[in-house]
Amino acid sequence: MKISIIPIGDELLIGQVTDTNSGWIARHIAPAGWEVTDVNVTGDNAEDIRRAIDLAFERSQVVITTGGLGPTKDDITKGVLRDYFGGEMITDPEVTDNINAIFARRGIAMNPLTAAQAIVPSSARIIQNRVGTAPIMWFERTDGRVLVAMPGVPFETETMMAEAVFPALLERFPSSEHIEHAVVMVTDHTESALAMRLSEIEEALPPHLHLAYLPKPGLIRLRIDGHHSDAEFIRSEVERVHSDIKTLLGDAVLTDRDLSPAQTLLEECRSREVTFATAESCTGGNIAHEITLIAGASDVMAGGVVSYSNEVKSRVLGVDPELIIAHGAVSIPVVRAMAEGVLKVTGARLSVATSGIAGPGGGTPEKPVGTVCICARLELPGIEPRELYETARFNGSRSRIIDSATTRALILAVKLLRSAE
């Protein structure tokens, strides 16, 4: 089935807010064999919203709007939908109860603007928004086509799409097609090099299977998609190709599941009962941030030091100042000392350290912007300490260089931990 998405809001058009809802919705509906045919970002203008709905219904059985349902005057979507589908504005007592309950949990007083969110078109079927005050509205045309109006707050959209809206859509539009996906996260390859290596497998794929390459700096998410009416058949087909790719790529496979490098490292550390620490200069705590974003990180993450200055490198991590003078802060000897020092400071067993030039200034001919030295160090009882280190060259903006260095550091930590087996 085909779905059109209409994100609504002037803030989307002028770049103050980025539309993340559409991508999340597309990923969430894909396992049912559904696809997003178009995304039409629209401002808070009644005529533009009506035109976008008309166009969407020409292309899709289901239209999902996000945003424009707030309590302020610039949020006009509810009124536009009442005019479009007919009916009158009524106060829904269940929405009122839901809003009151949410405000009571938050310990704040209700105000008239928020109370007015319980006023909804009589032509809509209401789905209670258990995590927000804007109700979700389901409109159905006489030809069976459906529009679902959802809030624009990503947390609310994601939660209610997963819990209520998508199940209701599946019930209304049951799918006979079975979809299977498998993922291989691949390191140490460019996209073109990976495609060349997989050329024989890819050329032999039957029509019901497809490979998608989704590259990020330092990592390629290789997704195997299968579509067929026979669930058991397509499951076995996807598993077969998944296995063939893992066998062919060997150590270049970071994980055979849809996990980030941080998630992969956490699992590897947890399974070996190894604690982890970071010593970061150019990445500024981003490695620790990626780890601690994950629930349950506390049983692995010991701590970290953002040693941005040379003084902190020396005073906190114990890096010899003469080492910095001799080699420079951006050097393999310094990150090796940082990785060793943070293990002493935190008591962890595994560490990564980074020092580099994220830019846009500060580069030299010998160490241009994007130069990052990385070291992973492992100290386990009964064996000699082990290290993996390298000097990498990353391209792009400051944030891209930091993200690239973060990814590479996490990958080196995984590889080092696995090498100890």
Side-chain angles (χ1 to χ4, degrees):
M1 189 176 70
K2 300 185 183 303
I3 289 181
S4 292
I5 302 176
I6 306 174
I8 298 171
D10 291 339
E11 67 277 7
L12 300 172
L13 292 176
I14 63 177
Q16 287 183 334
V17 174
T18 301
D19 169 38
T20 60
N21 287 326
S22 297
W24 189 92
I25 291 170
R27 292 190 296 273
H28 192 76
I29 67 174
W34 296 1
E35 62 176 312
V36 172
T37 59
D38 59 295
V39 177
N40 187 356
V41 180
T42 305
D44 294 303
N45 178 278
E47 185 55 38
D48 290 344
I49 295 172
R50 283 191 289 267
R51 190 181 301 113
I53 294 172
D54 285 338
L55 181 61
F57 273 134
E58 290 178 9
R59 297 175 173 176
S60 305
Q61 291 173 280
V62 172
V63 178
I64 297 175
T65 68
T66 62
L69 301 181
T72 55
K73 290 183 178 179
D74 60 322
D75 291 312
I76 63 171
T77 302
K78 188 160 52 176
V80 172
L81 293 175
R82 186 273 313 274
D83 294 341
Y84 192 95
F85 289 97
E88 58 183 350
M89 301 302 285
I90 61 172
T91 299
D92 187 308
E94 292 185 4
V95 177
T96 299
D97 291 343
N98 184 63
I99 295 172
N100 285 331
I102 288 173
F103 268 63
R105 288 199 302 270
R106 296 175 181 172
I108 54 179
M110 176 73 69
N111 60 63
L113 278 179
T114 303
Q117 290 196 290
I119 301 174
V120 296
S122 60
S123 51
R125 165 190 161 192
I126 302 303
I127 299 175
Q128 297 300 329
N129 180 359
R130 74 168 185 85
V131 291
T133 58
I136 297 157
M137 296 175 290
W138 174 298
F139 299 88
E140 188 156 346
R141 300 197 327 182
T142 55
D143 63 0
R145 295 178 187 267
V146 167
L147 182 146
V148 181
M150 301 194 68
V153 179
F155 169 69
E156 295 181 26
T157 299
E158 293 171 14
T159 301
M160 296 312 300
M161 184 72 186
E163 290 187 2
V165 174
F166 188 50
L169 287 171
L170 280 174
E171 183 177 352
R172 176 65 181 80
F173 302 98
S175 175
S176 61
E177 188 173 27
H178 294 276
I179 311 298
E180 286 291 329
H181 300 288
V183 168
V184 182
M185 305 297 282
V186 184
T187 67
D188 304 321
H189 283 71
T190 64
E191 186 177 4
S192 57
L194 181 60
M196 291 177 63
R197 195 166 177 191
L198 295 175
S199 59
E200 290 188 13
I201 289 177
E202 196 160 10
E203 288 169 5
L205 288 178
H208 50 265
L209 294 177
H210 172 71
L211 283 184
Y213 297 78
L214 305 169
K216 295 177 62 178
L219 191 66
I220 298 174
R221 181 174 179 263
L222 185 66
R223 192 185 70 236
I224 309 157
D225 299 322
H227 299 248
H228 203 273
S229 58
D230 187 326
E232 188 58 38
F233 170 76
I234 198 61
R235 188 175 299 112
S236 65
E237 281 285 271
V238 169
E239 288 175 356
R240 173 180 62 82
V241 174
H242 194 223
S243 177
D244 289 346
I245 289 174
K246 290 189 294 180
T247 300
L248 177 64
L249 296 180
D251 290 342
V253 175
L254 182 69
T255 176
D256 61 1
R257 293 182 292 150
D258 196 2
L259 301 176
S260 69
Q263 290 170 316
T264 304
L265 178 59
L266 272 179
E267 287 203 353
E268 295 285 341
C269 287
R270 190 175 288 118
S271 67
R272 295 167 175 80
E273 298 183 346
V274 169
T275 50
F276 178 65
T278 61
E280 304 183 59
S281 184
C282 65
T283 49
N286 198 52
I287 302 170
H289 172 68
E290 288 293 315
I291 291 290
T292 55
L293 276 177
I294 303 167
S298 59
D299 58 0
V300 168
M301 185 69 183
V305 176
V306 179
S307 53
Y308 215 66
S309 70
N310 290 342
E311 180 187 359
V312 172
K313 290 180 178 68
S314 298
R315 182 162 52 85
V316 178
L317 296 177
V319 179
D320 186 346
E322 295 300 321
L323 202 64
I324 299 175
I325 294 171
H327 300 280
V330 181
S331 65
I332 293 298
V334 168
V335 291
R336 291 180 67 191
M338 290 168 63
E340 183 177 2
V342 80
L343 291 181
K344 290 183 172 67
V345 168
T346 63
R349 297 295 189 184
L350 173 68
S351 68
V352 292
T354 60
S355 185
I357 305 164
T364 67
E366 296 78 21
K367 297 176 182 179
V369 169
T371 302
V372 181
C373 295
I374 306 170
C375 178
R377 183 177 176 87
L378 179 66
E379 295 183 3
L380 296 177
I383 65 172
E384 287 294 315
R386 298 189 181 201
E387 291 180 333
L388 281 179
Y389 48 82
E390 65 183 31
T391 299
R393 300 283 194 274
F394 302 117
N395 297 315
S397 66
R398 182 179 179 85
S399 61
R400 183 180 175 88
I401 289 168
I402 291 172
D403 286 342
S404 299
T406 297
T407 297
R408 187 59 187 167
L410 290 166
I411 290 171
L412 282 185
V414 172
K415 289 179 177 289
L416 177 61
L417 197 53
R418 289 173 177 170
S419 73
E421 294 179 342

